[in-house]
Amino acid sequence: MTFPRSIPAQKLDRKNWAGVEPSMMSEEQRERFNTLKGAVDMYLDGKPPRLVFATHGVSRAWLNKKLHDCVKPGPDGKVQGYRGLLPHATRKPYVRKATVHGTSDGFGSAGGWGKLMREQTWINKLIRDATRGKSGSGVKEAGINVKSIHRDMMEGLEKRGFTPKDYPLHTGNKGYSALCRHINKLLVQGDADLRRAKYGTANEARLDSRSGKTGWLTAHRALSIVCYDEQQLPLIGTLVIEIGDREIHVPMQRCSLCLMVDEFTGAVLAYFISMRRRVSASDVLKVLEHLLTPWKPMALTIPGLRYPVGAALPAGVVEGVLGARISMMRVDNDLVHYANSILEYAVDRTGIALQYGELARPITRQPVEHVFAMLQTRFLSRIPSTTGSGPDDPAVDDPVGKAVKLKIKMSDVQQVVDIALAQINNTRQVSLINATPLEELAREFSGSRGSVIPRWPAGLVDSPKFPNEILEVTVAGNIAEKRQPYVEHIDGIYTNDLLRDAWTMIGKPLTIHIHDDFRTLQAYHPGGAEFGPLWVTGHWAHSYHTKETRREIIHAKGKDDFDYGRDDDPVALYGDHLARIAAEKGLRKSPKVSVEANKIARMMGPGNLGPHKTTLEAMLHRGSPLSKPAPIRPAAGARWRRGATGGGS
């Protein structure tokens, strides 16, 4: 059987044809459509035209015409398919060419507006100018003054010689209704500038979420695309400072939750709770490290709190997820995501492609925003110290005071967040046909389906540590003065046994990787060969601290009664200094959030939010909560030590 040579064979593939719902037609239209569809299907199945005519009464000429209608492009860019069998499906819109001589009620003016817009192109520019701000560069606030546009249009037409007998001046409303229909048509067609001008930039994401449109890049498999975002936790937690047998609960500034969610299944893959209000590049890298770390339930300290049956993160229960490669990660355009440690090292080592979206456009990362919404509405909003959706939220009632009064510790909040995210993974979703994200992931990785997903190298999974910063330094030293080789960085002298004896290294470069513990630098030769770890010497070697903490200590020295000597532990003394300020804020009648408490939490190390122990009884006098004497040298063993990294927090 041969088909018309003018039609490419691929266009006749009915699998790609758009369908039609016959139940929405009248009985007469449905009978006509079914007859034509049966004739076309019979012909494409290889039956001769004479048999098609004998069965359905459709001639060869009519059949050939309808086939051409079916393969014409539709309004969505695809072939019409079975839509081409509908009446007037391929008819071109009416274009008026004759001069309009209608009446005031609009009779005889069909096609007049289209003719006017084709000939008077300045009207379209008039509409565009109305969508711009006062400067002409940006989009104005919500609202379009159609009456003002119509008035300017009338003035422009009169200047161009239009008389009251010409369209649209001869109509009853002088083309105002046609102008309104034209603007609405542009809105329906998705004109971005016009839509922002009418509804406002703030509502653009809501409009997109209800449009049914999807991006050109869509996930069709698990872990092919993930979404990442950060958001401040909507509650206040406290840090405990122990002064002997006394506990002081100091309210902390709101912390941030860094979250990674699989776009296809909606499963929470990894997270990290940052003790900062604004996250840093190191916090983003912690999420990647958590992704490559087997998940384990946290040790719960709240009475009655437990993990629901089946609640977990995929890396702990779904075989094959740990170490499975991610193709792309969607992030916003925050400057943090352009850090060298992310773009140059983490991306190069993992092979993840980053897709940057617009700020304040959460619709582009809808799966992760959905998890944030569930976390707040179903779990965190039930905590008494919740900050809700803002100060005007009726559920908000002195969150700082309640956090102190009810002793809502940030370490307890971490446990609640871990359980909540694990439970979200175990919640049935309509989009997954009533399956849970964990069940869908297990199905994706079961049998032969999971084997086609490439995996990360075993070395990356075994040691998922990403440097916060990569720098090139020069080895210092002096042979004449018998000063052994060393590396100096931010008031610290770094060396090791190998470098001390490597006199030939003086003046040569080394590349250093800086991790959380700033007491150790990982050094490499310029060619990439590992040189080994370098350890700091002197007073910086006593306590765990980050690069950020060392900078703060150096900056604070000599200010606000804070100082330290060569034999002191500056990190421990700085911790006592912050604890004194934070404790004073916590003992106020109306306590305020303390940025010092957040700094202490960061000094303790990731996952370690245990109480900070110190001795400040000597500072109590004259009824004041705490005094401010010179720093007291800390007792041995009463300082921070790096704690074990908790599951993603």
Side-chain angles (χ1 to χ4, degrees):
M1 184 66 197
T2 59
F3 302 111
R5 295 182 179 180
S6 58
I7 302 178
Q10 61 269 23
K11 288 189 176 182
L12 295 176
D13 186 359
R14 284 167 287 172
K15 294 180 181 179
N16 300 323
W17 282 16
V20 173
E21 180 52 57
S23 62
M24 301 177 66
M25 306 177 189
S26 65
E27 184 176 352
E28 182 181 355
Q29 291 174 336
R30 184 165 55 251
E31 182 179 355
R32 178 183 183 278
F33 173 78
N34 289 335
T35 299
L36 293 175
K37 182 177 181 297
V40 169
D41 286 340
M42 191 174 181
Y43 182 57
L44 294 179
D45 287 337
K47 304 301 180 183
R50 53 183 176 80
L51 185 57
V52 174
F53 179 76
T55 305
H56 297 285
V58 180
S59 66
R60 181 168 186 165
W62 190 249
L63 190 62
N64 186 54
K65 179 183 182 303
K66 285 301 171 183
L67 272 179
H68 281 83
D69 289 344
C70 290
V71 299
K72 286 182 179 179
D76 55 0
K78 302 177 182 179
V79 295
Q80 284 277 39
Y82 290 117
R83 296 176 298 186
L85 303 178
L86 298 176
H88 315 304
T90 59
R91 180 174 293 179
K92 294 182 179 180
Y94 171 62
V95 177
R96 186 181 185 111
K97 297 180 181 179
T99 303
V100 180
H101 296 290
T103 60
S104 60
D105 59 359
F107 183 79
S109 301
W113 179 261
K115 184 175 184 295
L116 179 70
M117 293 299 293
R118 289 194 305 274
E119 296 175 351
Q120 307 295 328
T121 55
W122 58 271
I123 299 179
N124 192 53
K125 184 178 182 300
L126 197 67
I127 297 173
R128 294 293 162 202
D129 291 342
T131 66
R132 301 293 176 180
K134 293 182 179 180
S135 63
S137 58
V139 176
K140 63 186 290 295
E141 294 300 323
I144 299 176
N145 193 340
V146 182
K147 290 184 178 179
S148 176
I149 299 175
H150 182 257
R151 182 177 62 251
D152 294 341
M153 184 182 75
M154 292 296 101
E155 293 177 357
L157 290 175
E158 290 175 358
K159 289 180 181 179
R160 288 165 175 80
F162 278 67
T163 67
K165 295 182 179 180
D166 296 324
Y167 179 87
L169 301 181
H170 76 274
T171 61
N173 56 20
K174 301 185 184 303
Y176 181 81
S177 298
L179 176 63
C180 292
R181 287 194 297 269
H182 178 73
I183 292 176
N184 287 331
K185 182 180 179 181
L186 294 177
L187 289 170
V188 172
Q189 291 175 349
D191 190 293
D193 287 344
L194 204 62
R195 185 180 60 176
R196 282 193 292 268
K198 182 174 178 62
Y199 300 107
T201 307
N203 295 313
E204 191 172 9
R206 296 187 179 94
L207 293 170
D208 282 344
S209 66
R210 292 165 174 81
S211 66
K213 298 179 181 179
T214 58
W216 66 272
L217 196 60
T218 308
H220 294 284
R221 294 295 303 273
L223 303 189
S224 58
I225 301 177
V226 300
C227 299
Y228 169 85
D229 207 349
E230 309 102 0
Q231 197 173 99
Q232 289 186 11
L233 289 174
L235 53 81
I236 301 295
T238 66
L239 179 74
V240 178
I241 297 177
E242 291 186 359
I243 307 175
D245 297 332
R246 183 182 182 185
E247 285 188 354
I248 299 178
H249 286 259
V250 181
M252 301 172 61
Q253 285 187 333
R254 289 172 60 185
C255 302
S256 297
L257 176 62
C258 308
L259 194 61
M260 180 187 293
V261 178
D262 178 42
E263 183 172 296
F264 184 73
T265 63
V268 178
L269 301 175
Y271 75 96
F272 178 73
I273 298 179
S274 170
M275 297 298 113
R276 299 177 176 88
R277 294 185 65 182
R278 177 170 176 79
V279 302
S280 66
S282 63
D283 299 325
V284 182
L285 296 173
K286 289 292 183 300
V287 178
L288 288 175
E289 293 176 2
H290 188 215
L291 175 70
L292 296 167
T293 304
W295 177 84
K296 295 180 181 178
M298 297 180 67
L300 305 180
T301 59
I302 305 176
L305 189 66
R306 63 182 184 276
Y307 287 87
V309 177
L313 262 63
V317 296
V318 180
E319 185 177 356
V321 170
L322 184 64
R325 188 184 298 271
I326 289 173
S327 302
M328 175 180 287
M329 182 165 69
R330 300 188 197 268
V331 297
D332 61 29
N333 256 326
D334 196 300
L335 287 177
V336 169
H337 305 143
Y338 289 93
N340 290 335
S341 56
I342 297 176
L343 286 180
E344 294 184 5
Y345 187 83
V347 169
D348 182 65
R349 192 177 179 195
T350 61
I352 297 177
L354 296 181
Q355 185 190 46
Y356 292 92
E358 297 181 27
L359 283 171
R361 290 278 291 163
I363 188 64
T364 58
R365 297 171 298 282
Q366 190 273 338
V368 70
E369 297 298 333
H370 175 67
V371 173
F372 278 132
M374 290 182 64
L375 183 65
Q376 177 171 349
T377 56
R378 299 188 183 183
F379 299 96
L380 301 185
S381 61
R382 300 164 64 182
I383 298 178
S385 62
T386 177
T387 57
S389 58
D392 298 330
D393 193 328
V396 178
D397 181 18
D398 188 19
V400 177
K402 286 186 176 180
V404 175
K405 181 180 179 180
L406 302 177
K407 300 180 179 180
I408 302 175
K409 297 182 289 187
M410 197 63 208
S411 57
D412 295 340
V413 173
Q414 286 183 316
Q415 299 174 30
V416 173
V417 170
D418 194 71
I419 292 176
L421 295 178
Q423 179 59 18
I424 288 174
N425 282 343
N426 194 43
T427 302
R428 301 195 176 278
Q429 306 286 346
V430 175
S431 59
L432 299 177
I433 317 180
N434 211 33
T436 69
L438 289 177
E439 290 173 348
E440 184 65 19
L441 273 175
R443 185 187 67 83
E444 284 281 319
F445 282 87
S446 63
S448 59
R449 292 200 68 182
S451 62
V452 302
I453 300 177
R455 306 188 65 79
W456 274 314
L460 179 61
V461 180
D462 295 338
S463 180
K465 297 295 181 182
F466 299 93
N468 301 330
E469 195 171 351
I470 302 174
L471 298 173
E472 186 176 286
V473 296
T474 302
V475 178
N478 193 302
I479 298 177
E481 298 178 1
K482 296 183 179 179
R483 193 170 185 185
Q484 293 177 312
Y486 65 94
V487 169
E488 184 175 2
H489 188 54
I490 308 185
D491 195 39
I493 304 298
Y494 293 83
T495 187
N496 61 16
D497 295 337
L498 179 61
L499 185 59
R500 288 191 189 97
D501 298 330
W503 295 95
T504 57
M505 288 289 296
I506 296 176
K508 293 185 178 180
L510 282 177
T511 299
I512 58 172
H513 289 190
I514 301 174
H515 294 269
D516 290 333
D517 194 344
F518 199 37
R519 296 175 296 179
T520 305
L521 303 178
Q522 191 67 32
Y524 296 86
H525 288 286
E530 184 176 356
F531 185 80
L534 305 177
W535 293 282
V536 72
T537 60
H539 53 244
W540 292 117
H542 294 299
S543 298
Y544 165 85
H545 63 283
T546 63
K547 181 177 180 178
E548 176 188 23
T549 300
R550 186 184 296 183
R551 286 187 182 276
E552 290 177 1
I553 293 173
I554 295 172
H555 180 73
K557 185 177 181 181
K559 302 176 182 178
D560 298 328
D561 299 326
F562 173 69
D563 204 352
Y564 57 89
R566 292 185 58 184
D567 298 328
D568 293 326
D569 181 350
V571 180
L573 289 176
Y574 186 60
D576 281 341
H577 173 68
L578 295 177
R580 182 183 64 212
I581 299 174
E584 288 177 350
K585 292 182 178 180
L587 289 174
R588 291 176 181 174
K589 188 174 182 179
S590 298
K592 302 294 183 182
V593 293
S594 168
V595 65
E596 292 80 14
N598 291 67
K599 291 182 179 180
I600 294 173
R602 294 198 294 270
M603 291 173 66
M604 292 179 177
N608 184 13
L609 276 179
H612 167 66
K613 300 181 180 180
T614 186
T615 56
L616 296 176
E617 293 89 349
M619 300 181 184
L620 300 172
H621 70 94
R622 296 182 183 178
S624 175
L626 295 170
S627 64
K628 296 183 179 180
I632 300 175
R633 185 173 300 177
R639 303 302 159 212
W640 302 275
R641 294 294 181 264
R642 187 173 187 180
T645 302
S649 54

PDB file of all heavy atoms in Angstrom, residues 228 329-334 337-338 354-362 364-365:
ATOM      1  N   TYR A 228      18.052  22.054  44.574  1.00  0.00           N
ATOM      2  CA  TYR A 228      18.690  22.467  45.827  1.00  0.00           C
ATOM      3  C   TYR A 228      18.267  23.895  46.155  1.00  0.00           C
ATOM      4  O   TYR A 228      18.180  24.753  45.276  1.00  0.00           O
ATOM      5  CB  TYR A 228      20.213  22.400  45.707  1.00  0.00           C
ATOM      6  CG  TYR A 228      20.920  23.055  46.879  1.00  0.00           C
ATOM      7  CD1 TYR A 228      21.151  22.338  48.045  1.00  0.00           C
ATOM      8  CD2 TYR A 228      21.309  24.389  46.826  1.00  0.00           C
ATOM      9  CE1 TYR A 228      21.749  22.940  49.134  1.00  0.00           C
ATOM     10  CE2 TYR A 228      21.912  25.002  47.915  1.00  0.00           C
ATOM     11  CZ  TYR A 228      22.133  24.277  49.064  1.00  0.00           C
ATOM     12  OH  TYR A 228      22.719  24.871  50.138  1.00  0.00           O
ATOM     13  N   MET A 329      21.955  19.545  38.919  1.00  0.00           N
ATOM     14  CA  MET A 329      21.395  20.131  40.139  1.00  0.00           C
ATOM     15  C   MET A 329      20.920  21.543  39.821  1.00  0.00           C
ATOM     16  O   MET A 329      21.689  22.375  39.350  1.00  0.00           O
ATOM     17  CB  MET A 329      22.433  20.147  41.260  1.00  0.00           C
ATOM     18  CG  MET A 329      21.887  20.697  42.569  1.00  0.00           C
ATOM     19  SD  MET A 329      22.934  20.343  44.013  1.00  0.00           S
ATOM     20  CE  MET A 329      24.351  21.384  43.652  1.00  0.00           C
ATOM     21  N   ARG A 330      19.653  21.803  40.082  1.00  0.00           N
ATOM     22  CA  ARG A 330      19.081  23.136  39.870  1.00  0.00           C
ATOM     23  C   ARG A 330      19.317  23.973  41.135  1.00  0.00           C
ATOM     24  O   ARG A 330      18.950  23.554  42.238  1.00  0.00           O
ATOM     25  CB  ARG A 330      17.586  23.055  39.594  1.00  0.00           C
ATOM     26  CG  ARG A 330      17.193  22.246  38.363  1.00  0.00           C
ATOM     27  CD  ARG A 330      15.699  22.418  38.119  1.00  0.00           C
ATOM     28  NE  ARG A 330      15.144  21.414  37.227  1.00  0.00           N
ATOM     29  CZ  ARG A 330      15.044  21.561  35.909  1.00  0.00           C
ATOM     30  NH1 ARG A 330      15.485  22.671  35.345  1.00  0.00           N
ATOM     31  NH2 ARG A 330      14.511  20.604  35.157  1.00  0.00           N
ATOM     32  N   VAL A 331      19.906  25.145  40.969  1.00  0.00           N
ATOM     33  CA  VAL A 331      20.132  26.078  42.073  1.00  0.00           C
ATOM     34  C   VAL A 331      19.694  27.466  41.614  1.00  0.00           C
ATOM     35  O   VAL A 331      19.464  27.691  40.422  1.00  0.00           O
ATOM     36  CB  VAL A 331      21.617  26.100  42.506  1.00  0.00           C
ATOM     37  CG1 VAL A 331      22.047  24.746  43.035  1.00  0.00           C
ATOM     38  CG2 VAL A 331      22.517  26.518  41.351  1.00  0.00           C
ATOM     39  N   ASP A 332      19.589  28.395  42.569  1.00  0.00           N
ATOM     40  CA  ASP A 332      19.270  29.766  42.178  1.00  0.00           C
ATOM     41  C   ASP A 332      20.557  30.533  41.903  1.00  0.00           C
ATOM     42  O   ASP A 332      21.656  29.985  41.959  1.00  0.00           O
ATOM     43  CB  ASP A 332      18.396  30.463  43.232  1.00  0.00           C
ATOM     44  CG  ASP A 332      19.077  30.562  44.589  1.00  0.00           C
ATOM     45  OD1 ASP A 332      20.325  30.626  44.625  1.00  0.00           O
ATOM     46  OD2 ASP A 332      18.381  30.570  45.614  1.00  0.00           O
ATOM     47  N   ASN A 333      20.415  31.809  41.627  1.00  0.00           N
ATOM     48  CA  ASN A 333      21.558  32.622  41.210  1.00  0.00           C
ATOM     49  C   ASN A 333      22.278  33.289  42.375  1.00  0.00           C
ATOM     50  O   ASN A 333      22.960  34.294  42.179  1.00  0.00           O
ATOM     51  CB  ASN A 333      21.096  33.700  40.220  1.00  0.00           C
ATOM     52  CG  ASN A 333      21.486  33.342  38.795  1.00  0.00           C
ATOM     53  OD1 ASN A 333      22.533  32.743  38.575  1.00  0.00           O
ATOM     54  ND2 ASN A 333      20.648  33.698  37.845  1.00  0.00           N
ATOM     55  N   ASP A 334      22.150  32.747  43.575  1.00  0.00           N
ATOM     56  CA  ASP A 334      22.855  33.303  44.724  1.00  0.00           C
ATOM     57  C   ASP A 334      24.364  33.223  44.495  1.00  0.00           C
ATOM     58  O   ASP A 334      24.883  32.235  43.948  1.00  0.00           O
ATOM     59  CB  ASP A 334      22.475  32.534  45.994  1.00  0.00           C
ATOM     60  CG  ASP A 334      22.853  33.285  47.248  1.00  0.00           C
ATOM     61  OD1 ASP A 334      24.054  33.557  47.419  1.00  0.00           O
ATOM     62  OD2 ASP A 334      21.969  33.591  48.060  1.00  0.00           O
ATOM     63  N   HIS A 337      26.588  30.111  45.274  1.00  0.00           N
ATOM     64  CA  HIS A 337      26.669  28.967  44.375  1.00  0.00           C
ATOM     65  C   HIS A 337      27.710  29.158  43.271  1.00  0.00           C
ATOM     66  O   HIS A 337      27.905  28.256  42.456  1.00  0.00           O
ATOM     67  CB  HIS A 337      25.293  28.699  43.762  1.00  0.00           C
ATOM     68  CG  HIS A 337      24.224  28.513  44.784  1.00  0.00           C
ATOM     69  ND1 HIS A 337      22.931  28.980  44.624  1.00  0.00           N
ATOM     70  CD2 HIS A 337      24.255  27.936  46.005  1.00  0.00           C
ATOM     71  CE1 HIS A 337      22.218  28.692  45.687  1.00  0.00           C
ATOM     72  NE2 HIS A 337      22.991  28.058  46.545  1.00  0.00           N
ATOM     73  N   TYR A 338      28.343  30.335  43.241  1.00  0.00           N
ATOM     74  CA  TYR A 338      29.417  30.586  42.273  1.00  0.00           C
ATOM     75  C   TYR A 338      30.798  30.503  42.929  1.00  0.00           C
ATOM     76  O   TYR A 338      31.791  30.887  42.315  1.00  0.00           O
ATOM     77  CB  TYR A 338      29.249  31.967  41.637  1.00  0.00           C
ATOM     78  CG  TYR A 338      28.075  32.069  40.684  1.00  0.00           C
ATOM     79  CD1 TYR A 338      26.838  32.507  41.119  1.00  0.00           C
ATOM     80  CD2 TYR A 338      28.207  31.710  39.347  1.00  0.00           C
ATOM     81  CE1 TYR A 338      25.755  32.601  40.252  1.00  0.00           C
ATOM     82  CE2 TYR A 338      27.133  31.802  38.470  1.00  0.00           C
ATOM     83  CZ  TYR A 338      25.917  32.251  38.928  1.00  0.00           C
ATOM     84  OH  TYR A 338      24.852  32.342  38.064  1.00  0.00           O
ATOM     85  N   LEU A 354      25.467  22.184  36.913  1.00  0.00           N
ATOM     86  CA  LEU A 354      24.649  23.137  37.663  1.00  0.00           C
ATOM     87  C   LEU A 354      23.798  23.956  36.699  1.00  0.00           C
ATOM     88  O   LEU A 354      24.305  24.478  35.711  1.00  0.00           O
ATOM     89  CB  LEU A 354      25.531  24.073  38.484  1.00  0.00           C
ATOM     90  CG  LEU A 354      26.363  23.440  39.598  1.00  0.00           C
ATOM     91  CD1 LEU A 354      27.151  24.513  40.334  1.00  0.00           C
ATOM     92  CD2 LEU A 354      25.492  22.676  40.580  1.00  0.00           C
ATOM     93  N   GLN A 355      22.512  24.046  36.992  1.00  0.00           N
ATOM     94  CA  GLN A 355      21.610  24.893  36.220  1.00  0.00           C
ATOM     95  C   GLN A 355      21.148  26.026  37.130  1.00  0.00           C
ATOM     96  O   GLN A 355      20.476  25.806  38.133  1.00  0.00           O
ATOM     97  CB  GLN A 355      20.396  24.125  35.703  1.00  0.00           C
ATOM     98  CG  GLN A 355      19.508  24.970  34.801  1.00  0.00           C
ATOM     99  CD  GLN A 355      18.182  24.303  34.490  1.00  0.00           C
ATOM    100  OE1 GLN A 355      17.528  23.782  35.386  1.00  0.00           O
ATOM    101  NE2 GLN A 355      17.774  24.316  33.240  1.00  0.00           N
ATOM    102  N   TYR A 356      21.537  27.247  36.768  1.00  0.00           N
ATOM    103  CA  TYR A 356      21.218  28.405  37.597  1.00  0.00           C
ATOM    104  C   TYR A 356      19.881  28.995  37.170  1.00  0.00           C
ATOM    105  O   TYR A 356      19.651  29.258  35.995  1.00  0.00           O
ATOM    106  CB  TYR A 356      22.316  29.461  37.485  1.00  0.00           C
ATOM    107  CG  TYR A 356      23.623  29.029  38.098  1.00  0.00           C
ATOM    108  CD1 TYR A 356      24.600  28.407  37.340  1.00  0.00           C
ATOM    109  CD2 TYR A 356      23.860  29.232  39.455  1.00  0.00           C
ATOM    110  CE1 TYR A 356      25.802  28.000  37.907  1.00  0.00           C
ATOM    111  CE2 TYR A 356      25.052  28.833  40.026  1.00  0.00           C
ATOM    112  CZ  TYR A 356      26.017  28.223  39.262  1.00  0.00           C
ATOM    113  OH  TYR A 356      27.198  27.817  39.824  1.00  0.00           O
ATOM    114  N   GLY A 357      19.022  29.201  38.150  1.00  0.00           N
ATOM    115  CA  GLY A 357      17.731  29.825  37.895  1.00  0.00           C
ATOM    116  C   GLY A 357      17.711  31.233  38.429  1.00  0.00           C
ATOM    117  O   GLY A 357      18.707  31.752  38.934  1.00  0.00           O
ATOM    118  N   GLU A 358      16.557  31.875  38.341  1.00  0.00           N
ATOM    119  CA  GLU A 358      16.416  33.240  38.801  1.00  0.00           C
ATOM    120  C   GLU A 358      16.138  33.267  40.300  1.00  0.00           C
ATOM    121  O   GLU A 358      15.498  32.376  40.850  1.00  0.00           O
ATOM    122  CB  GLU A 358      15.268  33.939  38.068  1.00  0.00           C
ATOM    123  CG  GLU A 358      15.474  34.076  36.574  1.00  0.00           C
ATOM    124  CD  GLU A 358      14.315  34.791  35.919  1.00  0.00           C
ATOM    125  OE1 GLU A 358      13.656  35.594  36.605  1.00  0.00           O
ATOM    126  OE2 GLU A 358      14.055  34.546  34.739  1.00  0.00           O
ATOM    127  N   LEU A 359      16.635  34.318  40.958  1.00  0.00           N
ATOM    128  CA  LEU A 359      16.294  34.538  42.356  1.00  0.00           C
ATOM    129  C   LEU A 359      14.805  34.866  42.469  1.00  0.00           C
ATOM    130  O   LEU A 359      14.220  35.460  41.573  1.00  0.00           O
ATOM    131  CB  LEU A 359      17.125  35.686  42.931  1.00  0.00           C
ATOM    132  CG  LEU A 359      18.581  35.365  43.285  1.00  0.00           C
ATOM    133  CD1 LEU A 359      19.317  36.643  43.621  1.00  0.00           C
ATOM    134  CD2 LEU A 359      18.653  34.400  44.452  1.00  0.00           C
ATOM    135  N   ALA A 360      14.242  34.475  43.604  1.00  0.00           N
ATOM    136  CA  ALA A 360      12.821  34.736  43.875  1.00  0.00           C
ATOM    137  C   ALA A 360      11.908  34.098  42.835  1.00  0.00           C
ATOM    138  O   ALA A 360      10.813  34.560  42.583  1.00  0.00           O
ATOM    139  CB  ALA A 360      12.544  36.244  43.959  1.00  0.00           C
ATOM    140  N   ARG A 361      12.372  33.013  42.206  1.00  0.00           N
ATOM    141  CA  ARG A 361      11.553  32.258  41.259  1.00  0.00           C
ATOM    142  C   ARG A 361      11.533  30.803  41.703  1.00  0.00           C
ATOM    143  O   ARG A 361      12.095  29.917  41.051  1.00  0.00           O
ATOM    144  CB  ARG A 361      12.116  32.383  39.844  1.00  0.00           C
ATOM    145  CG  ARG A 361      11.951  33.750  39.249  1.00  0.00           C
ATOM    146  CD  ARG A 361      10.567  33.940  38.669  1.00  0.00           C
ATOM    147  NE  ARG A 361      10.375  33.117  37.488  1.00  0.00           N
ATOM    148  CZ  ARG A 361       9.199  32.825  36.967  1.00  0.00           C
ATOM    149  NH1 ARG A 361       8.116  33.267  37.522  1.00  0.00           N
ATOM    150  NH2 ARG A 361       9.104  32.081  35.879  1.00  0.00           N
ATOM    151  N   PRO A 362      10.895  30.511  42.862  1.00  0.00           N
ATOM    152  CA  PRO A 362      10.933  29.145  43.390  1.00  0.00           C
ATOM    153  C   PRO A 362      10.224  28.128  42.527  1.00  0.00           C
ATOM    154  O   PRO A 362      10.428  26.930  42.706  1.00  0.00           O
ATOM    155  CB  PRO A 362      10.242  29.288  44.762  1.00  0.00           C
ATOM    156  CG  PRO A 362       9.372  30.497  44.622  1.00  0.00           C
ATOM    157  CD  PRO A 362      10.115  31.419  43.700  1.00  0.00           C
ATOM    158  N   THR A 364      10.836  27.302  39.636  1.00  0.00           N
ATOM    159  CA  THR A 364      11.817  26.535  38.872  1.00  0.00           C
ATOM    160  C   THR A 364      12.412  25.411  39.706  1.00  0.00           C
ATOM    161  O   THR A 364      13.051  24.530  39.151  1.00  0.00           O
ATOM    162  CB  THR A 364      12.928  27.450  38.363  1.00  0.00           C
ATOM    163  OG1 THR A 364      13.555  28.097  39.482  1.00  0.00           O
ATOM    164  CG2 THR A 364      12.370  28.507  37.427  1.00  0.00           C
ATOM    165  N   ARG A 365      12.228  25.461  41.021  1.00  0.00           N
ATOM    166  CA  ARG A 365      12.712  24.396  41.908  1.00  0.00           C
ATOM    167  C   ARG A 365      11.540  23.920  42.770  1.00  0.00           C
ATOM    168  O   ARG A 365      11.640  23.810  43.991  1.00  0.00           O
ATOM    169  CB  ARG A 365      13.861  24.921  42.776  1.00  0.00           C
ATOM    170  CG  ARG A 365      15.074  25.346  41.979  1.00  0.00           C
ATOM    171  CD  ARG A 365      16.104  26.057  42.834  1.00  0.00           C
ATOM    172  NE  ARG A 365      15.584  27.289  43.414  1.00  0.00           N
ATOM    173  CZ  ARG A 365      15.453  28.437  42.765  1.00  0.00           C
ATOM    174  NH1 ARG A 365      15.819  28.519  41.498  1.00  0.00           N
ATOM    175  NH2 ARG A 365      14.970  29.512  43.346  1.00  0.00           N
TER     176      ARG A 365
END
